[in-house]
Amino acid sequence: MQHNGIGGSTAEQALARLEDMTGDLSPVGITEYRQRIAKAQAWMQQQGVEALYLNAGTNLSYFTGLHWYASERMVGAILPAQGPLKYIAPEFEIGSLKDHMLLDGEILAWLEHENPYQLLVSALQKMGIASAGTLAIDESTAFFIFDGIRQAAPALNLVNGSLITAHCRMHKSAAELALIQRAMDMTLAVHQAAASILHEGISTKDVEAFIHQAHRKVGAPGSWFCIVLFGQATSFPHGVKDPQFLKSGDMVLIDTGCKVHDYLSDITRTYVYGEPSARQRQFWQYEKQAQAEAFTAARPGATCGDVDKAARDYLVAQGLGPDYQLPGLPHRTGHGIGMDIHEWPYLVKDNPQMLAPGMCFSNEPMLVVPGEFGIRLEDHFYITEQGARWFTRPSHAIDDPFGYQADYSN
């Protein structure tokens, strides 16, 4: 392997250097799920929301630990502002549902010919919620479920459930931060391994397949997602449909992540295979500094918009942009992360959301030079009382992306 970590290894050699990194991890426990429900109920009472419908998917998993897929059948839970959680599901799924449940609760069952939305409305009435009460609907709920509830209870005040879910989920606990940290560590190790197998002529598909294997080797089920781009294709932020084959002097962009006990990683590295040109070096340095400017601006009391502005102002000073114009930064500076790869809050222009401890963000003010290349350096940070803290050390240099030649002692 070359001293800068790019090329020099076979896939077999690179995989042999990886090992399972999950042996000491534990998933989120029952106590924390109960704390989440208590926090949600307290906030619902403050916001005048009488109940929250959680549909199968991430929000149901977050609050109850129940993993269930969204489908054409209504499966979810009703969380009242006061009182016990109740599940709702087809009767034939009760056995499976109980097998997956972590938190006990009454199951409201419906038969295939029955109207589950009317069952939900009846349950709300039994909870003491008036026909004109306020029900928050999980924001990821399919429209047909929302519409079914609306038709079953036209007088109900239906509001966006993100009022509750986002408020709770955007502030990560110590247990959540630890799981995200390990997922990030795992993906960074996979990035290093992927860089080591590059050689002229290798295809993006070959690298993607290796990354899936490497994530399994470090203990994940595989890659949660994977984007590998070479050359001009790097100027398309989320890729192109056809594979590319690596040539000397190509920009390489790899964006990937994995899931560990429900929590996700998401890291992008961009570098050059071979000797970078002066123009590639210049723009790579712009990207690195824009990322640094955003990180410096991230502190308790600043807004999400302030962080985006810091990166964008720096790029404008270099003659790039302005705003979303190219060459420059075509999208927001970053997104929240947790159980979903993109979740609240978002580091986007004019977002007034205040940063607070426990919030986690990507920092990826990507530069796009149309017709030439794109550069995305993506690391994540979380907010502490003292300021922002990186989950992973940012890329060191275009020709030493993982810092093998760096002196970090000072």
Side-chain angles (χ1 to χ4, degrees):
M1 184 171 66
Q2 295 179 9
H3 190 44
N4 64 2
I6 302 174
S9 291
T10 66
E12 292 75 15
Q13 289 170 334
L15 287 172
R17 288 191 290 267
L18 297 173
E19 57 185 25
D20 192 322
M21 299 171 65
T22 63
D24 60 335
L25 291 180
S26 298
V28 170
I30 294 289
T31 299
E32 185 154 333
Y33 287 116
R34 290 180 177 139
Q35 290 170 345
R36 291 173 180 182
I37 284 177
K39 179 179 179 179
Q41 290 181 314
W43 185 243
M44 289 160 67
Q45 292 169 31
Q46 288 185 43
Q47 298 301 308
V49 173
E50 292 166 274
L52 168 65
Y53 170 69
L54 298 166
N55 198 52
T58 307
N59 284 321
L60 181 65
S61 299
Y62 176 83
F63 286 104
T64 72
L66 173 61
H67 293 80
W68 203 266
Y69 58 93
S71 73
E72 79 282 7
R73 292 183 174 97
M74 185 185 205
V75 177
I78 306 167
L79 179 61
Q82 298 183 68
L85 178 82
K86 295 182 186 296
Y87 298 94
I88 185 167
E91 186 168 286
F92 75 90
E93 295 282 27
I94 288 178
S96 297
L97 201 74
K98 287 183 175 179
D99 189 49
H100 286 81
M101 283 167 54
L102 293 182
L103 293 180
D104 291 334
E106 180 186 355
I107 301 176
L108 309 173
W110 55 277
L111 298 172
E112 289 279 70
H113 69 284
E114 294 179 327
N115 185 334
Y117 316 116
Q118 188 59 57
L119 178 60
L120 179 144
V121 171
S122 297
L124 293 177
Q125 292 171 349
K126 290 176 182 177
M127 292 174 182
I129 297 172
S131 59
T134 298
L135 174 67
I137 304 289
D138 179 344
E139 69 281 3
S140 67
T141 303
F143 178 78
F144 73 87
I145 294 178
F146 168 84
D147 192 49
I149 296 170
R150 181 173 60 181
Q151 290 187 43
L156 262 182
N157 178 31
L158 302 179
V159 300
N160 191 328
S162 65
L163 174 69
I164 310 302
T165 60
H167 172 78
C168 294
R169 287 176 55 188
M170 72 172 63
H171 301 279
K172 269 61 179 183
S173 68
E176 291 178 288
L177 292 174
L179 290 171
I180 295 170
Q181 180 66 68
R182 186 61 57 84
M184 295 290 182
D185 293 342
M186 291 161 64
T187 291
L188 186 58
V190 168
H191 264 289
Q192 292 170 309
S196 78
I197 71 161
L198 296 181
H199 59 80
E200 194 138 0
I202 194 172
S203 75
T204 50
K205 294 297 183 185
D206 290 337
V207 179
E208 289 172 10
F210 172 84
I211 289 171
H212 288 303
Q213 285 183 282
H215 267 130
R216 287 193 290 271
K217 187 72 186 295
V218 295
S223 300
W224 181 245
F225 69 96
C226 187
I227 300 171
V228 180
L229 303 169
F230 299 154
Q232 185 179 331
T234 60
S235 65
F236 296 85
H238 289 153
V240 295
K241 65 181 178 66
D242 296 323
Q244 306 97 55
F245 297 86
L246 189 60
K247 304 184 302 296
S248 182
D250 273 351
M251 196 71 82
V252 175
L253 187 155
I254 299 177
D255 183 355
T256 189
C258 67
K259 178 178 281 193
V260 179
H261 291 310
D262 295 333
Y263 286 84
L264 291 159
S265 59
D266 178 15
I267 299 174
T268 308
R269 289 291 178 264
T270 307
Y271 41 85
V272 171
Y273 181 74
E275 181 63 29
S277 69
R279 185 166 172 82
Q280 288 170 329
R281 287 183 184 278
Q282 179 185 41
F283 277 83
W284 194 96
Q285 210 55 47
Y286 288 157
E287 169 72 358
K288 180 174 173 61
Q289 188 59 39
Q291 188 191 47
E293 296 291 336
F295 180 78
T296 299
R299 60 188 182 277
T303 69
C304 289
D306 291 338
V307 180
D308 181 83
K309 185 175 185 299
R312 219 169 284 279
D313 283 354
Y314 166 76
L315 294 174
V316 168
Q318 313 314 310
L320 301 170
D323 297 320
Y324 301 101
Q325 296 178 37
L326 302 180
L329 169 54
H331 56 60
R332 64 194 175 211
T333 293
H335 56 77
I337 192 170
M339 293 177 71
D340 286 322
I341 202 71
H342 291 177
E343 60 180 56
W344 320 268
Y346 294 95
L347 301 178
V348 67
K349 180 179 170 64
D350 299 332
N351 183 354
Q353 173 69 55
M354 301 282 281
L355 273 60
M359 291 182 176
C360 301
F361 299 94
S362 74
N363 185 350
E364 48 179 320
M366 181 179 187
L367 286 182
V368 171
V369 183
E372 294 185 55
F373 53 77
I375 303 169
R376 180 161 69 244
L377 301 178
E378 178 186 13
D379 296 275
H380 288 66
F381 62 82
Y382 59 98
I383 302 298
T384 72
E385 296 285 356
Q386 292 73 41
R389 182 172 298 173
W390 290 112
F391 282 107
T392 50
R393 189 188 297 276
S395 195
H396 177 62
I398 191 171
D399 42 15
D400 183 21
F402 303 105
Y404 291 117
Q405 303 170 41
D407 180 3
Y408 290 119
S409 61
N410 295 324

